[in-house]
């Protein structure tokens, strides 16, 4: 009989085997957690040819360690402590950093506890192939496991554990590598404890453990110069002995501890929100919080207290009598701070610093006086809940360099100016400063001390020469966090095996993979697609035909992406993470691999393609009789551009079926649009321009023109809206809890207050914002007979007052907030572009389940899962829009530059364009050049009269250079002529559009 | 009660034995002798304090003895008072196979009432159950399970309760609050003073009758690995001595058969806030007999004597347990 022994662990061992700790839950309960620990003797050390440890899995560390380091000629391994990982991750991730690393479990757990993003980076690092990292589970090996002493803090306990493990490693190596008789003893490698904590080092040295601070270690490495720059600023404390820390003056108040912040926010005494800096004024920012209808204003450096754009901060609001109005002056950090010195801007007390302070307080005082019409809650930042720091694209500020000799390798402290105006300058120390001039570089912020006026950061990598296409494009993608890496193998493996040879299998017996199951054969329908010129990812096609009963059958056929992108595979997760395809002027960052996007899913003409069709029966008055959805196979008969379709429609000689179907669609679209408008849909405008590229290769822009809209644009748009609305109703009905929908919340009335005021005072017009219909009607009345562009301008400004539309999960919000304000529809979704939007892919899956074609993937039944995906998609969507706008701006800049050069060479002088004044400031005006779709600022150096209440400025007659006599009054909506130049900022090489006023008054002299 | 059915003859035989001189009890003990008691603390790792106690457990002769398991668990509660103690006793049905479900419930309820009324008394209330004054406090749930009963259950309950409470550690908390700093130089422009009444806000004065309300609304655990501090006033937790009266004698630590043949039992619960001055925390008579005041007085004095001895022994053992969990365990770990 088999003998069974139960090896029960005696209760007396509990101290060793059990680890107990408390956890406070989100609901305020305290839970005791118990972890069992089994100590073993066979946790491998991970070093090659170790006689005791047999570990088969994972890559082992080389037996001799790393032999290239100066300080350790006998070879070594490094064993970093937690803080090294927390503060020097960039260094460890560098390709040049190749020392073998022993990662302790204690360290790993502490990193996870302190920072989840860093923990994920560390996990990725341990898995990467070119790194030699061994994770040693020291808490589970009986020799290295420790228990906490009485009165020992958790930190001390962990430090002791790390020291213990280091000591064990060293003895372990000497025991497992005994000298072989007859041979001289080979030198043994050392395991070096890497820590920044001086007290810990001291204790380690007492115990005979070799240890090193990070900087000293890196200095001894082969690639010290490059690697030293990657050191984060927090590591450099001890190498600035000349500056007595006590001599530094506090520039900013300390943050409150985070628990206090949370308590304050809970009690309603503090407010939490995202920090938004003012792009016009670097000394001002705002935070939108739920407690106030207006955003909380933060005025001055001290009150903004080291907040950086996007940080989640906590604000204390001042008493109401201290509330201020937002500034009406343009304050540019570059002009005010140009004399600031990077080397010593850390300490105050020097003349320079005082100068800056005096200047800034002057500016703030003058603002305080100006406080007039509208006060806003004002407050100060008392703490930061979450930093949103990432790598920023920057330029090195030339003037901050002390030596520009490229041979100079001395460390310099320089300023890096981020491309985004919303960010402060970053101070960084580098040895390669001269070689970084004229480069776009990536810089990470490490910390911002109370004693330092600027955040400190470190150099990550260079992107390339300023104004080179590649560098500009990459910097743009980085700046808007667009994931642009090529698709990995796992993703490409999800594509059909046939590659671009894939075709719709023949119907019937040959259909092995059952593609035709439940699919309608619509190959004979006269279907065509209408898209912008050069469009490769055709995701929609249309058809229309008369029915015998006098009604019209119209169909929208959308590429059946969900046939290829199956839920929960690598391609699906990647698409979910990318969220959307990003269109740049000269490039497109795809959401799906291009085989699908531009070939298999693209509804090209004359080939059979799978599609998801929505087919209506409409009365000649465009009322829906019924609608059905079906998976289908189509064969498009033509792919038109908007222009071609328009010409074909207007050509009276053509009477073929295709042309008639376009005419039918067009007549329906006109009626549909009229209905929409009657329901109160808004006709909004955004400044859209089109960049002409010379040729595909050189992609030099030659000119910019405004996009033209044709009847056929509207045709396609109307049918897409119709499809989206019909699909939205269907999926909401089938999946009331998890349907993926899109909504546009009505904007709060206060958003329009300023625009209403401006219109009333300058033009005597009123804007009724009570509903979208009323707004649409009153927008139609905003006409200036002399100026046709005025209406567009008001529409653009009204658009800016609105909220942005968003995807949401139908179960997460109240039913009455589903509506789409702009389209005046009670329900809406995105169904028509699954190739380039991930939300549409989800909608396709839900619709396909709703018609019983497939069953719904379980993840789409989970509200929290859908919400999580849509959060990402919403964010990506926003970022993608910003990225493409920035890309257009960059090309407009290039085009302007080219145009300027051309006109100068012709002797015509600079480029001049008509512009509208859209904002007035104490010292300038904001203008909008509608022809180029760009905004600009004109600032005056001399004093002008500013009337904030009436939105006008008056340039005194005597001051005007022309001297034509009389004061010149400029108010918002006035048409002016500006001269546009593109100039490079001397210091930062940042391209900048500079505008000067030409008419009605010349501003150059002012 | 936990009535063991017993014949009249048996009853008188046992009573005669107890009244004989020298007394003769079935297991040969003297009248004031206890069966051996064994105690272990820290038996429930997920509780904040726990103990297992058995009286008369002897594996050699197969007698199971009385066995109880006590565990104290702390729970955060939103309340305005300074914490609560809630005791409950539940009996394993196997401990009382002769009782029906209803009778077992009644019996449990009786035991719970005695224990809860005594231990949740304000005079014994530990001071460190408050987390945030007036807002949050700990609720201490003391749950005792009777695993086996072979007599003298009350003494066992109180001893186990004392041991578990002695072992209880309260997690250290730190209150979190936000204080608006009024006198800070945030707004330098307003320092000029607005002509209000100048009150010095910082000095504490007896004239100031305003109640100082703390703003703290939440707390945090500064050190989550730490088990916490011991429950305040752990020396005060009382002990119970059951005097079984067969007039004119009384005896301690009755066996079930003896209990069944004893007409009156007197529960005396003593607390020893300091070694010299014991206080009677509770007194209760069980059974159908009668007692005069004079008799009670002498019995209380007697009981105090027994209680003191028990207390000394128990405290000694508990301190030993503390060392076993702390220092000794670490030494053992280091020696490994």
């Amino acid at each position: 009989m088999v003998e069974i022994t139960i090896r029960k662990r005696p209760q007396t061992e509990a101290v060793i085997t059990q680890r107990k700790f408390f956890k406070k839950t989100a609901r305020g309960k305290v839970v005791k957690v118990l972890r069992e620990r089994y100590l073993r003797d066979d946790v491998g050390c991970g070093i090659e040819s170790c006689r005791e440890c047999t570990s088969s899995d994972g890559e082992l560390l080389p037996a001799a360690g790393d032999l290239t380091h100066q300080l350790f000629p006998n070879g070594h391994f490094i064993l970093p402590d937690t803080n090294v990982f927390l503060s020097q991750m960039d260094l460890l991730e560098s390709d040049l950093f190749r020392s073998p690393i022993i990662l302790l479990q204690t360290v790993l757990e502490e990193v996870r506890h302190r920072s989840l993003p860093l923990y994920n980076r560390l996990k990725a690092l341990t898995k990467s192939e070119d790194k030699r990292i061994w994770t040693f589970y020291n808490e589970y090996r009986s020799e290295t496991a420790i228990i906490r002493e009485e009165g020992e803090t958790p930190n001390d306990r962990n430090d002791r554990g790390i020291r213990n493990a280091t000591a064990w490693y060293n003895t372990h190596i000497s025991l497992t590598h005994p000298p072989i008789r007859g041979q001289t003893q080979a030198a043994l490698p050392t395991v070096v404890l890497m820590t920044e904590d001086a007290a810990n080092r001291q204790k380690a040295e007492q115990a005979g453990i070799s240890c090193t601070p990070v900087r000293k270690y890196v200095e001894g490495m082969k690639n010290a110069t490059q690697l030293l720059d990657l050191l984060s600023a927090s590591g450099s404390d001890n190498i600035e002995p000349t500056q007595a820390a006590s001599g530094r003056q506090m520039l900013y108040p300390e943050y409150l501890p985070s628990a206090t912040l949370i308590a304050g926010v809970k009690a309603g005494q503090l407010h939490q929100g995202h920090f938004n800096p003012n792009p016009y004024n670097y000394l001002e920012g705002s935070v939108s919080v739920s407690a106030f209808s207006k955003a909380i204003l933060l005025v001055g450096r001290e009150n903004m207290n080291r907040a950086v754009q996007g940080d989640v901060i906590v604000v204390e609001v001042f008493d109401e009598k201290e509330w201020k109005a937002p500034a009406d002056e343009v304050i540019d950090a570059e002009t005010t701070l140009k004399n600031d010195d990077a080397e010593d801007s850390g300490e105050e007390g020097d003349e320079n610093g005082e100068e800056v302070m005096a200047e800034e307080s002057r500016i703030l005082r003058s603002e305080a006086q100006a406080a007039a019409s509208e006060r806003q809650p004002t407050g100060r930042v008392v703490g930061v809940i979450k930093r949103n720091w990432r790598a920023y694209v920057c330029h090195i500020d030339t003037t901050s360099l002390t030596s520009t000799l490229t041979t100079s390798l001395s460390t310099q402290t320089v300023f890096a100016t981020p491309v985004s105006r919303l960010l402060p300058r970053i101070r960084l120390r580098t040895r390669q400063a001269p070689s970084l001039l004229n480069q776009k570089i990536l810089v990470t912020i490490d910390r911002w001390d109370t004693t330092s006026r600027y955040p400190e950061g470190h150099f990550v990598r260079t992107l390339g020469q300023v104004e080179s296409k590649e560098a500009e494009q990459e910097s743009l993608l980085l700046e808007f966090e667009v994931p642009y890496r090529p698709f990995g193998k796992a993703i490409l493996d999800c594509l059909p095996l046939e590659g671009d040879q894939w075709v719709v299998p023949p119907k019937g017996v040959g259909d092995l993979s059952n593609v035709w199951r439940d699919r309608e054969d619509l190959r004979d329908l006269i279907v065509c697609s209408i898209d912008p010129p050069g469009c490769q990812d055709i995701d929609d096609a249309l058809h229309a035909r008369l029915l015998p009963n006098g009604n019209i059958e119209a169909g929208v056929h959308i590429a059946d992406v969900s046939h290829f992108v199956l839920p929960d595979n690598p391609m699906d997760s990647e698409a979910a993470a990318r969220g959307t395809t990003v269109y740049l002027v000269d490039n497109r960052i795809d959401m799906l691999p291009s085989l699908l996007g531009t070939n298999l899913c693209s509804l090209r003409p004359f080939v059979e393609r799978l599609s998801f069709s929505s087919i209506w029966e409409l009365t000649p008055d465009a009322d829906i009789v019924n609608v059905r959805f079906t998976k289908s196979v189509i064969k498009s008969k033509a792919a038109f551009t908007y222009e071609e379709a328009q010409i074909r429609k207007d050509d009276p000689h053509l009477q073929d079926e295709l042309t008639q179907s376009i005419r039918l669609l067009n007549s329906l679209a006109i009626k549909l649009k009229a209905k929409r408008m009657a329901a109160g849909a808004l006709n909004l405008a955004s400044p859209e321009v089109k960049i002409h590229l010379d040729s595909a290769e050189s992609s030099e822009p030659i000119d910019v023109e405004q996009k033209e809209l044709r009847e056929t644009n509207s045709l396609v748009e109307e049918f897409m809206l119709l499809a989206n609305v019909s699909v939205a109703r269907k999926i909401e009905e089938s999946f009331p809890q998890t349907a993926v929908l899109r909504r546009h919340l009505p904007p709060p009335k206060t958003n329009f207050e300023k625009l209403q005021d401006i219109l009333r005072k300058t033009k005597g017009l009123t804007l009724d914002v009570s509903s979208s219909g009323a707004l649409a009607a009153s927008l139609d009345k905003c006409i200036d007979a002399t100026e046709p562009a005025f209406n567009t301008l008001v529409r653009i400004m009204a658009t800016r007052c609105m909220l942005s539309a968003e995807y949401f999960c139908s179960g997460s919000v109240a039913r009455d907030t589903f509506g789409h304000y702009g389209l005046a529809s009670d329900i809406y979704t995105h169904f028509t572009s699954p190739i380039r939007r991930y939300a549409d892919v989800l909608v396709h899956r839900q619709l396909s389940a709703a018609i019983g074609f497939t069953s719904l993937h379980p993840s789409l039944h989970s509200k929290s899962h859908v919400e999580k995906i849509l959060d990402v998609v919403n964010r990506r969507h926003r970022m993608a829009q910003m990225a493409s706008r920035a890309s257009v701006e960059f090309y407009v800049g290039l085009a302007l530059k080219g145009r300027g050069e051309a006109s100068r060479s012709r002797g015509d002088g600079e480029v001049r364009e008509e512009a509208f004044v859209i904002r007035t400031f104490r010292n300038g005006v904001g203008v909008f050049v509608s022809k180029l779709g760009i905004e600009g600022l004109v600032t005056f150096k001399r004093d002008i009269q500013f009337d904030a209440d009436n939105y006008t400025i008056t340039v005194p007659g005597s001051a005007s250079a022309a001297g034509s006599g009389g004061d010149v009054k400029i108010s918002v909506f006035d048409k002016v002529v500006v001269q546009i130049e593109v100039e490079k900022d001397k210091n930062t090489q940042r391209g900048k559009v500079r505008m000067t006023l030409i008419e009605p008054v010349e501003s150059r002299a002012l | 009660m936990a009535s063991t059915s017993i014949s009249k003859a048996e009853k008188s035989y046992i009573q005669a034995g107890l009244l004989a001189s020298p007394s003769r009890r079935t297991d040969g003990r003297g009248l004031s002798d206890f069966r051996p008691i064994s105690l272990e603390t820290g038996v429930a790792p997920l509780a904040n304090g726990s103990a297992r106690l058995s009286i008369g457990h002897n594996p050699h002769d197969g007698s199971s003895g009385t066995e109880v398991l006590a565990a104290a668990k702390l729970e955060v509660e939103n309340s305005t008072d300074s914490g609560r103690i809630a005791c409950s006793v539940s009996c394993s049905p196997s401990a009382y196979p002769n009782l029906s479900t209803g009778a077992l419930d009644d019996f449990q309820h009786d035991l719970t009432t005695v224990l809860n009324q005594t231990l949740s008394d304000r005079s014994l209330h530990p001071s460190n159950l408050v987390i945030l004054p007036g807002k949050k406090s700990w609720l201490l749930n003391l749950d005792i399970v009777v695993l086996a009963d072979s007599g003298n259950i009350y003494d066992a309950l109180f001893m186990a309760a004392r041991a578990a409470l002695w072992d209880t550690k309260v997690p250290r908390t730190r209150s979190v609050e936000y204080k608006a700093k009024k006198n800070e130089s945030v707004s330098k422009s307003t320092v000029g003073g607005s002509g209000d009444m100048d009150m010095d806000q910082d000095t504490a004065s007896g004239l100031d009758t305003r109640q100082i309300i703390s703003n703290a609304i939440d707390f945090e655990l500064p050190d989550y690995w730490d088990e916490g501090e011991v429950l305040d006033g752990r020396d005060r937790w009382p002990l119970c001595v059951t005097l079984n009266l067969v007039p004119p004698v009384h005896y301690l630590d009755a066996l079930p058969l003896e209990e069944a043949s004893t007409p009156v039992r007197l529960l005396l619960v003593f607390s020893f806030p300091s070694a010299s001055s014991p206080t009677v925390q509770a007194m209760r008579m069980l059974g159908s007999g009668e007692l005069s005041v004079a008799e009670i007085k002498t019995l209380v004095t007697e009981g105090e004597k027994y209680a003191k001895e028990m207390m000394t022994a128990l405290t000694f053992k508990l301190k030993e347990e503390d060392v076993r969990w702390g220092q000794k365990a670490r030494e053992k770990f280091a020696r490994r």
Side-chain angles (χ1 to χ4, degrees), chain B residues 61-91:
Chain B
D61 66 359
S63 61
S64 62
T66 298
E67 191 169 9
V68 294
L69 181 65
K73 191 111 171 104
L74 291 166
E75 196 182 317
V76 182
E77 202 182 33
N78 292 322
S79 69
T80 48
D81 55 21
S82 54
R84 287 195 296 142
I85 294 181
C87 308
S88 83
V89 180
S90 52
C91 298

Side-chain angles (χ1 to χ4, degrees), chain A residues 515-640:
Chain A
V515 172
W516 280 91
R517 178 185 64 90
D518 292 345
R519 269 183 202 276
E520 260 183 70
D521 185 355
L522 302 178
R523 285 177 293 184
D524 298 331
L525 272 184
I526 309 293
V527 171
C528 69
S529 62
I530 308 176
D531 285 286
C535 179
Q536 288 174 305
D537 44 356
I538 305 171
D539 40 23
D540 50 75
L542 300 153
H543 88 272
R545 62 178 179 193
L546 277 168
L547 293 176
N549 64 1
N551 284 346
I552 303 159
E553 177 192 274
V556 167
H557 311 273
I558 307 296
D560 191 8
V561 173
S562 58
H563 176 83
F564 297 97
V565 184
L566 300 170
D568 225 9
N569 67 17
M571 181 155 68
D572 183 54
S573 345
E574 178 68 18
R578 294 192 175 211
T580 172
T581 294
V582 182
Y583 292 87
L584 304 181
V585 172
D586 54 348
N587 197 1
R588 192 183 66 219
I589 314 296
D590 285 325
M591 177 181 90
L592 292 171
S594 67
L595 175 67
L596 288 186
T598 60
N599 190 351
L600 303 189
C601 287
S602 182
L603 301 177
R604 294 173 171 183
F606 321 121
V607 282
E608 291 175 10
R609 287 286 177 246
L610 300 182
S611 79
F612 206 152
S613 305
S614 168
I615 298 165
W616 299 268
E617 186 182 337
L618 298 163
T619 62
D621 290 326
D623 289 320
I624 301 175
V625 178
N626 65 50
V627 58
R628 65 192 175 92
F629 307 99
T630 174
K631 294 255 181 170
S632 59
V633 178
I634 61 159
K635 192 170 177 182
S636 172
K637 303 291 174 289
F640 297 116

Side-chain angles (χ1 to χ4, degrees), chain B residues 46-260:
Chain B
L46 276 174
N48 296 72
S50 57
R52 179 198 280 265
L53 179 121
S54 68
I55 301 179
H57 174 69
N58 188 351
H60 300 298
D61 66 359
S63 61
S64 62
T66 298
E67 191 169 9
V68 294
L69 181 65
K73 191 111 171 104
L74 291 166
E75 196 182 317
V76 182
E77 202 182 33
N78 292 322
S79 69
T80 48
D81 55 21
S82 54
R84 287 195 296 142
I85 294 181
C87 308
S88 83
V89 180
S90 52
C91 298
S92 156
S94 66
Y96 300 96
N98 53 335
L99 290 186
S100 68
T101 324
L104 192 64
D105 281 347
D106 287 349
F107 182 57
Q108 280 177 179
H109 185 255
D110 285 348
L111 295 179
T112 302
T113 315
V114 173
L115 196 70
N116 199 24
Q117 280 179 352
T118 315
L119 293 186
S120 59
D121 190 75
R122 297 314 293 175
S123 62
L124 295 171
H125 193 77
S127 63
N128 57 352
L129 286 181
V130 183
I131 302 172
L132 297 171
K135 294 203 177 73
K136 277 178 198 284
S137 57
W138 294 110
L139 162 63
L140 194 155
N141 289 304
L142 179 67
D143 296 315
I144 304 187
V145 184
V146 179
L147 300 170
D149 182 4
S150 57
N152 203 12
I153 188 66
Y154 284 99
D155 289 11
L157 281 183
F158 275 91
M159 255 188 283
R162 178 173 160 89
L165 289 167
W166 178 281
D167 187 44
T168 298
K169 304 224 172 39
V170 184
R172 279 177 241 266
T173 57
R174 186 163 58 199
S175 71
V176 172
E177 63 180 311
Y178 169 71
K179 278 194 198 109
K181 290 176 214 147
K182 285 293 168 209
N183 297 334
E184 231 186 7
S185 59
V186 177
S187 47
K188 284 164 192 147
S189 54
T190 58
V191 165
S194 44
D196 294 333
M197 240 172 63
D198 261 351
M199 286 271 287
D200 207 345
Q201 297 216 333
D202 293 333
T203 49
S205 156
L207 298 170
D208 191 351
T209 53
R210 292 170 298 179
Q211 201 180 354
I212 293 141
I213 301 159
S214 164
N215 281 324
I217 60 146
D218 207 355
F219 67 97
E220 60 181 6
L221 301 170
D223 179 0
Y224 52 91
W225 286 106
D226 189 17
E227 288 246 48
E229 58 190 8
V230 292
L231 199 61
D232 164 70
R234 64 173 181 174
D235 293 316
R236 287 205 297 265
W237 297 116
L239 273 186
C240 173
V241 178
T242 310
L243 299 175
N244 302 284
L245 304 176
V246 184
V249 298
H250 63 262
Y251 65 98
L252 301 180
D253 195 17
L255 295 171
L257 282 179
E258 288 174 337
E259 268 175 12

Side-chain angles (χ1 to χ4, degrees), chain A residues 142 148 154 259 273 336 411 431 494 538 574 591 664 702 757 811 936:
Chain A
S142 64
R148 193 169 159 189
T336 322
T411 316
R431 281 164 191 269
C494 302
I538 305 171
E574 178 68 18
M591 177 181 90
L664 210 49
I702 8 178
D757 196 43

